[in-house]
Amino acid sequence: MPRPDPEHSAARDAHLHAATLKRLEQSASRLAANAIARMDESLPWYRAMPPENRSWIGLVAQAGIAAFTEWFRHPETPQAISTDVFGTAPRELTRAITLRQTVEMVRTTIEVMEAAIEEVAAPGDESVLREALLVYAREIAFATAQVYAQAAEARGAWDARLESLVVNAVLSGEADEGAVSRAAALGWNSPEHVCVILGTAPDGDSELTVEAIRRAARHAKLQVLTGVLGNRLVVIAGGSDNPLQVAKGLIGPYAAGPVVAGPVVPDLLAATRSAQAAAAGLKACLAWQDAPRPVLADDLLPERAMAGDPAARDQLVEEIYRPLEEAGSALLETLSVYLEQASSLEGAARMLFVHPNTVRYRLRRVTDVTGWSPSDVRSAFILRIALILGRLAAADPQS
């Protein structure tokens, strides 16, 4: 029995390959049209897409078949499949269709090509074409994953920059409608209650810190915009009217040191006020060695006022001194004497020439009017600073 001639076999294989390649080139347009028709028939999401996106998907299918033809022409040469196939469509297409939908599109196109193997391949070359299609399908799968991974990375980097712009605008007092629009693009859906939490950022990768804040926010059912600015970890939180509870829920990722929660404001545009109060509180926290962690910016009003925060001074005067002044001179006088007498009921009563029960009653009225109890050491300190600032303001004709 004669041995097969290797040169003859190689020539025959080359002849079959050339014949299959020619038939594949001639069938490319028809295969692409069949793939589009199959998608229209079997993929509801494709039928529901706008014409522009459908046309882009058609171009991707055509590019995929053309890339396979080139692959089959030079199987030994590495092919840049992701560029050949997906480069025909705009980057926005990765937002218009999901990874799952792209996989379904690729699968449908490969199935159409696989069903046409007997028709397209030259007689005797069917197995070669089928094997090439299997290898190509694997490469397309990897290329698809790469395209979406790159798009996700680019989108994540862009979102991080956008979020940093919003956080910086709020912290610097430059928040405007543009910042609100950028926040909306990040998924911020304008919750009714917003507050800002400030503290020291931990050492290490800031992205890990941000992700830890997001996890804590999801657990607490809060919306957040967050970022590390310098050595400060800033969180704009929405969805709760209790800033102290919000701070407790998000405190885990912060480094050691004070964590200050600004007051609740109605929306993102007003969040600058909360951020400024929190920043002033963080600066003044050093003066209150026993401050709780976290602490409200409003609980640091006297330290903030002495550190030069005009908003804190105004708040102490407007929320404590003015209401006491409007409630009658007896309350202001009784509170002043009580504090001067080292919080002694009997001492205050002797100085005022009234019964101790009268002093006790008036002090309860002070608590009702201001929200701060004169018998509490910390509250007494806040009330004393408010009295001092109120008297200074009353003596200033420009106040």
Side-chain angles (χ1 to χ4, degrees), residues 245-299:
Q245 183 179 359
V246 170
K248 288 178 179 178
L250 302 178
I251 200 171
Y254 284 89
V259 174
V260 181
V264 170
V265 292
D267 52 37
L268 190 62
L269 282 176
T272 289
R273 179 157 50 87
S274 182
Q276 290 174 343
L282 195 62
K283 176 183 176 182
C285 216
L286 184 66
W288 186 10
Q289 293 290 324
D290 296 325
R293 185 178 187 269
V295 62
L296 294 174
D298 283 356
D299 288 345

Side-chain angles (χ1 to χ4, degrees), residues 210-227:
V210 167
E211 183 54 37
I213 287 289
R214 296 196 192 288
R215 285 197 301 271
R218 286 194 293 270
H219 181 73
K221 295 181 172 55
L222 297 168
Q223 292 186 57
V224 294
L225 296 167
T226 183

